[in-house]
Structure formats: structure tokens, C-alpha cells
mmCIF file of all heavy atoms in Angstrom:
data_model
loop_
_atom_site.group_PDB
_atom_site.id
_atom_site.type_symbol
_atom_site.label_atom_id
_atom_site.label_comp_id
_atom_site.label_asym_id
_atom_site.label_seq_id
_atom_site.Cartn_x
_atom_site.Cartn_y
_atom_site.Cartn_z
ATOM 1 N N ALA A 1439 -9.468 -9.040 -20.109
ATOM 2 C CA ALA A 1439 -9.430 -7.563 -20.215
ATOM 3 C C ALA A 1439 -8.364 -7.028 -19.324
ATOM 4 O O ALA A 1439 -7.579 -6.131 -19.632
ATOM 5 C CB ALA A 1439 -10.742 -6.901 -19.875
ATOM 6 N N LEU A 1440 -8.083 -7.631 -18.179
ATOM 7 C CA LEU A 1440 -7.129 -7.187 -17.192
ATOM 8 C C LEU A 1440 -5.712 -7.469 -17.655
ATOM 9 O O LEU A 1440 -4.772 -6.873 -17.141
ATOM 10 C CB LEU A 1440 -7.359 -7.817 -15.829
ATOM 11 C CG LEU A 1440 -8.651 -7.358 -15.122
ATOM 12 C CD1 LEU A 1440 -8.722 -7.987 -13.762
ATOM 13 C CD2 LEU A 1440 -8.770 -5.856 -15.055
ATOM 14 N N GLU A 1441 -5.536 -8.432 -18.572
ATOM 15 C CA GLU A 1441 -4.214 -8.718 -19.098
ATOM 16 C C GLU A 1441 -3.605 -7.549 -19.843
ATOM 17 O O GLU A 1441 -2.412 -7.402 -19.983
ATOM 18 C CB GLU A 1441 -4.248 -9.946 -19.962
ATOM 19 C CG GLU A 1441 -4.528 -11.250 -19.258
ATOM 20 C CD GLU A 1441 -4.579 -12.421 -20.226
ATOM 21 O OE1 GLU A 1441 -4.505 -12.189 -21.421
ATOM 22 O OE2 GLU A 1441 -4.741 -13.556 -19.742
ATOM 23 N N ASP A 1442 -4.456 -6.568 -20.241
ATOM 24 C CA ASP A 1442 -3.944 -5.395 -20.997
ATOM 25 C C ASP A 1442 -3.444 -4.355 -19.974
ATOM 26 O O ASP A 1442 -2.879 -3.342 -20.421
ATOM 27 C CB ASP A 1442 -5.076 -4.804 -21.829
ATOM 28 C CG ASP A 1442 -5.550 -5.702 -22.939
ATOM 29 O OD1 ASP A 1442 -4.674 -6.468 -23.410
ATOM 30 O OD2 ASP A 1442 -6.700 -5.615 -23.323
ATOM 31 N N SER A 1443 -3.587 -4.569 -18.670
ATOM 32 C CA SER A 1443 -3.151 -3.579 -17.685
ATOM 33 C C SER A 1443 -1.826 -3.926 -17.111
ATOM 34 O O SER A 1443 -1.655 -5.030 -16.566
ATOM 35 C CB SER A 1443 -4.195 -3.479 -16.555
ATOM 36 O OG SER A 1443 -3.662 -2.727 -15.489
ATOM 37 N N PRO A 1444 -0.824 -3.147 -17.272
ATOM 38 C CA PRO A 1444 0.557 -3.466 -16.729
ATOM 39 C C PRO A 1444 0.439 -3.618 -15.196
ATOM 40 O O PRO A 1444 1.220 -4.405 -14.627
ATOM 41 C CB PRO A 1444 1.424 -2.298 -17.156
ATOM 42 C CG PRO A 1444 0.493 -1.162 -17.490
ATOM 43 C CD PRO A 1444 -0.787 -1.810 -18.001
ATOM 44 N N ASN A 1445 -0.383 -2.871 -14.517
ATOM 45 C CA ASN A 1445 -0.517 -2.971 -13.074
ATOM 46 C C ASN A 1445 -1.025 -4.316 -12.654
ATOM 47 O O ASN A 1445 -0.596 -4.928 -11.707
ATOM 48 C CB ASN A 1445 -1.364 -1.837 -12.510
ATOM 49 C CG ASN A 1445 -0.625 -0.509 -12.407
ATOM 50 O OD1 ASN A 1445 0.560 -0.497 -12.121
ATOM 51 N ND2 ASN A 1445 -1.290 0.519 -12.717
ATOM 52 N N ALA A 1446 -2.053 -4.822 -13.389
ATOM 53 C CA ALA A 1446 -2.644 -6.111 -13.064
ATOM 54 C C ALA A 1446 -1.657 -7.213 -13.264
ATOM 55 O O ALA A 1446 -1.731 -8.265 -12.602
ATOM 56 C CB ALA A 1446 -3.908 -6.328 -13.927
ATOM 57 N N ALA A 1447 -0.709 -7.040 -14.195
ATOM 58 C CA ALA A 1447 0.234 -8.077 -14.473
ATOM 59 C C ALA A 1447 1.318 -8.263 -13.414
ATOM 60 O O ALA A 1447 2.032 -9.290 -13.287
ATOM 61 C CB ALA A 1447 0.903 -7.855 -15.842
ATOM 62 N N LEU A 1448 1.538 -7.227 -12.527
ATOM 63 C CA LEU A 1448 2.604 -7.257 -11.526
ATOM 64 C C LEU A 1448 2.178 -8.266 -10.409
ATOM 65 O O LEU A 1448 0.961 -8.393 -10.089
ATOM 66 C CB LEU A 1448 2.780 -5.911 -10.987
ATOM 67 C CG LEU A 1448 3.347 -4.814 -11.932
ATOM 68 C CD1 LEU A 1448 3.424 -3.502 -11.206
ATOM 69 C CD2 LEU A 1448 4.778 -5.221 -12.367
ATOM 70 N N ASN A 1449 3.181 -8.895 -9.853
ATOM 71 C CA ASN A 1449 2.934 -9.830 -8.749
ATOM 72 C C ASN A 1449 2.840 -9.060 -7.476
ATOM 73 O O ASN A 1449 3.923 -8.617 -6.891
ATOM 74 C CB ASN A 1449 4.054 -10.844 -8.726
ATOM 75 C CG ASN A 1449 3.815 -11.861 -7.574
ATOM 76 O OD1 ASN A 1449 2.902 -11.772 -6.818
ATOM 77 N ND2 ASN A 1449 4.695 -12.906 -7.565
ATOM 78 N N LYS A 1450 1.699 -8.759 -6.919
ATOM 79 C CA LYS A 1450 1.530 -7.936 -5.751
ATOM 80 C C LYS A 1450 1.992 -8.571 -4.482
ATOM 81 O O LYS A 1450 2.287 -7.932 -3.470
ATOM 82 C CB LYS A 1450 0.037 -7.553 -5.597
ATOM 83 C CG LYS A 1450 -0.545 -6.812 -6.806
ATOM 84 C CD LYS A 1450 0.131 -5.551 -7.148
ATOM 85 C CE LYS A 1450 -0.607 -4.737 -8.210
ATOM 86 N NZ LYS A 1450 -0.893 -5.480 -9.427
ATOM 87 N N THR A 1451 2.085 -9.913 -4.464
ATOM 88 C CA THR A 1451 2.521 -10.615 -3.267
ATOM 89 C C THR A 1451 3.931 -10.266 -2.835
ATOM 90 O O THR A 1451 4.290 -10.392 -1.718
ATOM 91 C CB THR A 1451 2.351 -12.120 -3.431
ATOM 92 O OG1 THR A 1451 3.162 -12.563 -4.458
ATOM 93 C CG2 THR A 1451 0.868 -12.472 -3.698
ATOM 94 N N LEU A 1452 4.733 -9.843 -3.823
ATOM 95 C CA LEU A 1452 6.147 -9.547 -3.533
ATOM 96 C C LEU A 1452 6.222 -8.331 -2.653
ATOM 97 O O LEU A 1452 7.184 -8.151 -1.878
ATOM 98 C CB LEU A 1452 6.918 -9.302 -4.836
ATOM 99 C CG LEU A 1452 7.118 -10.542 -5.775
ATOM 100 C CD1 LEU A 1452 7.801 -10.124 -6.996
ATOM 101 C CD2 LEU A 1452 7.947 -11.594 -5.019
ATOM 102 N N LEU A 1453 5.258 -7.417 -2.774
ATOM 103 C CA LEU A 1453 5.292 -6.202 -1.956
ATOM 104 C C LEU A 1453 5.210 -6.489 -0.453
ATOM 105 O O LEU A 1453 5.833 -5.751 0.377
ATOM 106 C CB LEU A 1453 4.121 -5.325 -2.359
ATOM 107 C CG LEU A 1453 4.056 -3.898 -1.744
ATOM 108 C CD1 LEU A 1453 5.315 -3.108 -2.083
ATOM 109 C CD2 LEU A 1453 2.848 -3.145 -2.255
ATOM 110 N N ASP A 1454 4.534 -7.528 -0.076
ATOM 111 C CA ASP A 1454 4.441 -7.883 1.367
ATOM 112 C C ASP A 1454 5.824 -8.203 1.977
ATOM 113 O O ASP A 1454 5.999 -7.901 3.143
ATOM 114 C CB ASP A 1454 3.538 -9.137 1.498
ATOM 115 C CG ASP A 1454 2.087 -8.838 1.243
ATOM 116 O OD1 ASP A 1454 1.670 -7.676 1.360
ATOM 117 O OD2 ASP A 1454 1.335 -9.759 0.899
ATOM 118 N N ARG A 1455 6.726 -8.603 1.164
ATOM 119 C CA ARG A 1455 8.083 -8.879 1.642
ATOM 120 C C ARG A 1455 8.771 -7.634 2.175
ATOM 121 O O ARG A 1455 9.504 -7.687 3.164
ATOM 122 C CB ARG A 1455 8.897 -9.511 0.485
ATOM 123 C CG ARG A 1455 10.321 -9.800 0.842
ATOM 124 C CD ARG A 1455 11.129 -10.312 -0.359
ATOM 125 N NE ARG A 1455 10.501 -11.467 -0.997
ATOM 126 C CZ ARG A 1455 10.912 -12.001 -2.131
ATOM 127 N NH1 ARG A 1455 11.955 -11.451 -2.785
ATOM 128 N NH2 ARG A 1455 10.307 -13.017 -2.672
ATOM 129 N N TYR A 1456 8.395 -6.506 1.550
ATOM 130 C CA TYR A 1456 9.009 -5.240 1.995
ATOM 131 C C TYR A 1456 8.173 -4.495 3.005
ATOM 132 O O TYR A 1456 8.678 -3.848 3.876
ATOM 133 C CB TYR A 1456 9.285 -4.436 0.773
ATOM 134 C CG TYR A 1456 10.097 -5.163 -0.237
ATOM 135 C CD1 TYR A 1456 9.590 -5.851 -1.293
ATOM 136 C CD2 TYR A 1456 11.507 -5.297 -0.031
ATOM 137 C CE1 TYR A 1456 10.334 -6.517 -2.200
ATOM 138 C CE2 TYR A 1456 12.276 -6.036 -0.872
ATOM 139 C CZ TYR A 1456 11.675 -6.643 -1.986
ATOM 140 O OH TYR A 1456 12.517 -7.435 -2.847
ATOM 141 N N TYR A 1457 6.843 -4.566 2.900
ATOM 142 C CA TYR A 1457 5.969 -4.002 3.909
ATOM 143 C C TYR A 1457 6.119 -4.628 5.247
ATOM 144 O O TYR A 1457 5.850 -4.068 6.263
ATOM 145 C CB TYR A 1457 4.469 -4.099 3.477
ATOM 146 C CG TYR A 1457 4.030 -2.989 2.648
ATOM 147 C CD1 TYR A 1457 2.853 -3.142 1.816
ATOM 148 C CD2 TYR A 1457 4.642 -1.715 2.615
ATOM 149 C CE1 TYR A 1457 2.382 -2.106 1.050
ATOM 150 C CE2 TYR A 1457 4.153 -0.713 1.804
ATOM 151 C CZ TYR A 1457 3.024 -0.886 1.044
ATOM 152 O OH TYR A 1457 2.561 0.108 0.286
ATOM 153 N N SER A 1458 6.645 -5.930 5.249
ATOM 154 C CA SER A 1458 6.776 -6.623 6.529
ATOM 155 C C SER A 1458 8.188 -6.267 7.188
ATOM 156 O O SER A 1458 8.423 -6.732 8.280
ATOM 157 C CB SER A 1458 6.730 -8.134 6.322
ATOM 158 O OG SER A 1458 7.760 -8.573 5.480
ATOM 159 N N LEU A 1459 9.005 -5.444 6.515
ATOM 160 C CA LEU A 1459 10.277 -5.067 7.142
ATOM 161 C C LEU A 1459 9.986 -4.163 8.293
ATOM 162 O O LEU A 1459 9.058 -3.349 8.310
ATOM 163 C CB LEU A 1459 11.119 -4.322 6.124
ATOM 164 C CG LEU A 1459 11.732 -5.096 4.982
ATOM 165 C CD1 LEU A 1459 12.378 -4.129 3.937
ATOM 166 C CD2 LEU A 1459 12.776 -6.044 5.483
ATOM 167 N N PRO A 1460 10.749 -4.277 9.414
ATOM 168 C CA PRO A 1460 10.590 -3.425 10.596
ATOM 169 C C PRO A 1460 10.787 -1.954 10.207
ATOM 170 O O PRO A 1460 11.705 -1.649 9.488
ATOM 171 C CB PRO A 1460 11.639 -3.928 11.570
ATOM 172 C CG PRO A 1460 11.993 -5.355 11.147
ATOM 173 C CD PRO A 1460 11.828 -5.313 9.615
ATOM 174 N N GLN A 1461 9.847 -1.048 10.698
ATOM 175 C CA GLN A 1461 10.036 0.322 10.393
ATOM 176 C C GLN A 1461 10.663 1.019 11.597
ATOM 177 O O GLN A 1461 10.328 0.701 12.724
ATOM 178 C CB GLN A 1461 8.609 0.930 10.158
ATOM 179 C CG GLN A 1461 8.638 2.302 9.619
ATOM 180 C CD GLN A 1461 7.296 2.696 9.030
ATOM 181 O OE1 GLN A 1461 6.532 1.880 8.591
ATOM 182 N NE2 GLN A 1461 7.010 4.045 9.025
ATOM 183 N N PRO A 1462 11.652 1.834 11.351
ATOM 184 C CA PRO A 1462 12.341 2.509 12.456
ATOM 185 C C PRO A 1462 11.348 3.169 13.386
ATOM 186 O O PRO A 1462 10.312 3.742 12.940
ATOM 187 C CB PRO A 1462 13.231 3.578 11.737
ATOM 188 C CG PRO A 1462 13.511 2.970 10.432
ATOM 189 C CD PRO A 1462 12.275 2.191 10.047
ATOM 190 N N GLU A 1463 11.589 3.119 14.679
ATOM 191 C CA GLU A 1463 10.625 3.511 15.672
ATOM 192 C C GLU A 1463 10.165 4.955 15.536
ATOM 193 O O GLU A 1463 8.992 5.314 15.727
ATOM 194 C CB GLU A 1463 11.205 3.281 17.080
ATOM 195 C CG GLU A 1463 10.294 3.610 18.182
ATOM 196 C CD GLU A 1463 10.883 3.332 19.586
ATOM 197 O OE1 GLU A 1463 11.985 2.760 19.570
ATOM 198 O OE2 GLU A 1463 10.287 3.771 20.573
ATOM 199 N N LYS A 1464 11.078 5.870 15.183
ATOM 200 C CA LYS A 1464 10.711 7.273 15.156
ATOM 201 C C LYS A 1464 10.662 7.812 13.702
ATOM 202 O O LYS A 1464 10.813 8.979 13.454
ATOM 203 C CB LYS A 1464 11.754 8.135 15.970
ATOM 204 C CG LYS A 1464 11.701 7.833 17.431
ATOM 205 C CD LYS A 1464 12.608 8.766 18.206
ATOM 206 C CE LYS A 1464 12.502 8.515 19.666
ATOM 207 N NZ LYS A 1464 13.385 9.425 20.466
ATOM 208 N N LYS A 1465 10.291 6.923 12.746
ATOM 209 C CA LYS A 1465 10.138 7.289 11.376
ATOM 210 C C LYS A 1465 8.757 6.843 10.890
ATOM 211 O O LYS A 1465 8.352 5.693 11.044
ATOM 212 C CB LYS A 1465 11.211 6.657 10.502
ATOM 213 C CG LYS A 1465 12.653 7.100 10.866
ATOM 214 C CD LYS A 1465 12.953 8.524 10.499
ATOM 215 C CE LYS A 1465 14.383 8.887 10.735
ATOM 216 N NZ LYS A 1465 14.698 10.272 10.409
ATOM 217 N N ILE A 1466 8.001 7.781 10.303
ATOM 218 C CA ILE A 1466 6.748 7.434 9.664
ATOM 219 C C ILE A 1466 6.738 7.990 8.194
ATOM 220 O O ILE A 1466 7.441 8.914 7.950
ATOM 221 C CB ILE A 1466 5.524 7.885 10.436
ATOM 222 C CG1 ILE A 1466 5.391 9.394 10.359
ATOM 223 C CG2 ILE A 1466 5.553 7.448 11.854
ATOM 224 C CD1 ILE A 1466 4.041 9.899 10.743
ATOM 225 N N GLN A 1467 5.912 7.377 7.437
ATOM 226 C CA GLN A 1467 5.694 7.896 6.068
ATOM 227 C C GLN A 1467 4.358 8.641 6.042
ATOM 228 O O GLN A 1467 3.308 8.136 6.426
ATOM 229 C CB GLN A 1467 5.682 6.762 5.033
ATOM 230 C CG GLN A 1467 7.036 6.117 4.840
ATOM 231 C CD GLN A 1467 6.950 4.873 4.023
ATOM 232 O OE1 GLN A 1467 6.476 3.774 4.483
ATOM 233 N NE2 GLN A 1467 7.346 4.932 2.735
ATOM 234 N N ALA A 1468 4.376 9.879 5.535
ATOM 235 C CA ALA A 1468 3.215 10.751 5.431
ATOM 236 C C ALA A 1468 2.986 11.009 3.944
ATOM 237 O O ALA A 1468 3.782 11.658 3.287
ATOM 238 C CB ALA A 1468 3.395 12.014 6.210
ATOM 239 N N LYS A 1469 1.850 10.519 3.406
ATOM 240 C CA LYS A 1469 1.452 10.684 2.037
ATOM 241 C C LYS A 1469 0.568 11.941 1.914
ATOM 242 O O LYS A 1469 -0.544 11.945 2.400
ATOM 243 C CB LYS A 1469 0.796 9.493 1.424
ATOM 244 C CG LYS A 1469 0.400 9.718 -0.023
ATOM 245 C CD LYS A 1469 -0.198 8.510 -0.690
ATOM 246 C CE LYS A 1469 0.916 7.433 -1.010
ATOM 247 N NZ LYS A 1469 1.786 7.934 -2.143
ATOM 248 N N TYR A 1470 1.102 13.045 1.360
ATOM 249 C CA TYR A 1470 0.341 14.241 1.155
ATOM 250 C C TYR A 1470 -0.558 14.101 -0.102
ATOM 251 O O TYR A 1470 -0.090 13.743 -1.122
ATOM 252 C CB TYR A 1470 1.255 15.466 1.006
ATOM 253 C CG TYR A 1470 1.843 15.949 2.296
ATOM 254 C CD1 TYR A 1470 2.302 15.122 3.330
ATOM 255 C CD2 TYR A 1470 1.960 17.337 2.520
ATOM 256 C CE1 TYR A 1470 2.841 15.623 4.509
ATOM 257 C CE2 TYR A 1470 2.551 17.905 3.693
ATOM 258 C CZ TYR A 1470 2.985 16.982 4.693
ATOM 259 O OH TYR A 1470 3.473 17.508 5.873
ATOM 260 N N ILE A 1471 -1.785 14.416 0.044
ATOM 261 C CA ILE A 1471 -2.796 14.317 -1.008
ATOM 262 C C ILE A 1471 -3.407 15.643 -1.287
ATOM 263 O O ILE A 1471 -3.696 16.447 -0.455
ATOM 264 C CB ILE A 1471 -3.937 13.304 -0.631
ATOM 265 C CG1 ILE A 1471 -3.356 11.927 -0.210
ATOM 266 C CG2 ILE A 1471 -5.004 13.221 -1.653
ATOM 267 C CD1 ILE A 1471 -4.381 11.096 0.505
ATOM 268 N N TRP A 1472 -3.564 15.982 -2.622
ATOM 269 C CA TRP A 1472 -4.130 17.245 -2.999
ATOM 270 C C TRP A 1472 -4.912 17.129 -4.292
ATOM 271 O O TRP A 1472 -4.798 16.157 -5.063
ATOM 272 C CB TRP A 1472 -3.127 18.408 -2.991
ATOM 273 C CG TRP A 1472 -2.140 18.300 -4.120
ATOM 274 C CD1 TRP A 1472 -2.255 18.933 -5.404
ATOM 275 C CD2 TRP A 1472 -0.918 17.578 -4.206
ATOM 276 N NE1 TRP A 1472 -1.179 18.626 -6.153
ATOM 277 C CE2 TRP A 1472 -0.357 17.828 -5.501
ATOM 278 C CE3 TRP A 1472 -0.227 16.749 -3.317
ATOM 279 C CZ2 TRP A 1472 0.887 17.282 -5.859
ATOM 280 C CZ3 TRP A 1472 0.994 16.212 -3.678
ATOM 281 C CH2 TRP A 1472 1.534 16.452 -4.943
ATOM 282 N N ILE A 1473 -5.735 18.173 -4.634
ATOM 283 C CA ILE A 1473 -6.540 18.261 -5.847
ATOM 284 C C ILE A 1473 -5.747 19.048 -6.843
ATOM 285 O O ILE A 1473 -5.259 20.123 -6.570
ATOM 286 C CB ILE A 1473 -7.870 18.901 -5.583
ATOM 287 C CG1 ILE A 1473 -8.606 18.169 -4.479
ATOM 288 C CG2 ILE A 1473 -8.746 18.983 -6.780
ATOM 289 C CD1 ILE A 1473 -9.667 18.915 -3.816
ATOM 290 N N ASP A 1474 -5.663 18.582 -8.131
ATOM 291 C CA ASP A 1474 -4.854 19.314 -9.084
ATOM 292 C C ASP A 1474 -5.739 20.361 -9.806
ATOM 293 O O ASP A 1474 -6.904 20.615 -9.459
ATOM 294 C CB ASP A 1474 -4.197 18.338 -10.095
ATOM 295 C CG ASP A 1474 -5.200 17.648 -10.993
ATOM 296 O OD1 ASP A 1474 -6.326 18.133 -11.136
ATOM 297 O OD2 ASP A 1474 -4.803 16.613 -11.570
ATOM 298 N N GLY A 1475 -5.176 20.985 -10.842
ATOM 299 C CA GLY A 1475 -5.801 22.148 -11.463
ATOM 300 C C GLY A 1475 -7.068 21.779 -12.252
ATOM 301 O O GLY A 1475 -7.770 22.723 -12.621
ATOM 302 N N THR A 1476 -7.346 20.527 -12.534
ATOM 303 C CA THR A 1476 -8.538 20.138 -13.208
ATOM 304 C C THR A 1476 -9.790 20.218 -12.296
ATOM 305 O O THR A 1476 -10.901 20.256 -12.785
ATOM 306 C CB THR A 1476 -8.443 18.692 -13.789
ATOM 307 O OG1 THR A 1476 -8.381 17.773 -12.680
ATOM 308 C CG2 THR A 1476 -7.275 18.505 -14.661
ATOM 309 N N GLY A 1477 -9.524 20.259 -10.994
ATOM 310 C CA GLY A 1477 -10.604 20.272 -10.096
ATOM 311 C C GLY A 1477 -11.201 18.898 -9.760
ATOM 312 O O GLY A 1477 -12.128 18.784 -8.965
#
């Protein structure tokens, strides 16, 4: 069943290669989250 999902087919281990890159000392990523018009 999961083979039908494009997300499941991606190789997630490759992402670790980039998450392991050093992040600049004075830079952070802030993900803003909100509720849309559907409620």
C-alpha cells in the first residue's frame, strides 16, 4: 500500500547528509505554523 505514496518511495537517509551540515552560529530556522480557513 505504501508503494503508492511518492513520499514513502523517497530515500529519507539522504536527508541526514544535509541535516548534519554545520549551521551558522547566529542563524536559526523558524517554522511558522497556523490554521487555515477550513478551521
Side-chain angles (χ1 to χ4, degrees):
L1440 294 184
E1441 289 179 358
D1442 295 331
S1443 169
N1445 283 323
L1448 295 174
N1449 183 356
K1450 304 300 191 306
T1451 60
L1452 293 176
L1453 187 59
D1454 291 335
R1455 181 185 302 175
Y1456 304 99
Y1457 272 160
S1458 63
L1459 290 172
Q1461 191 163 333
E1463 184 178 349
K1464 293 186 178 181
K1465 298 289 184 181
I1466 70 165
Q1467 291 172 284
K1469 180 175 282 293
Y1470 281 41
I1471 302 166
W1472 71 94
I1473 304 161
D1474 70 18
T1476 66

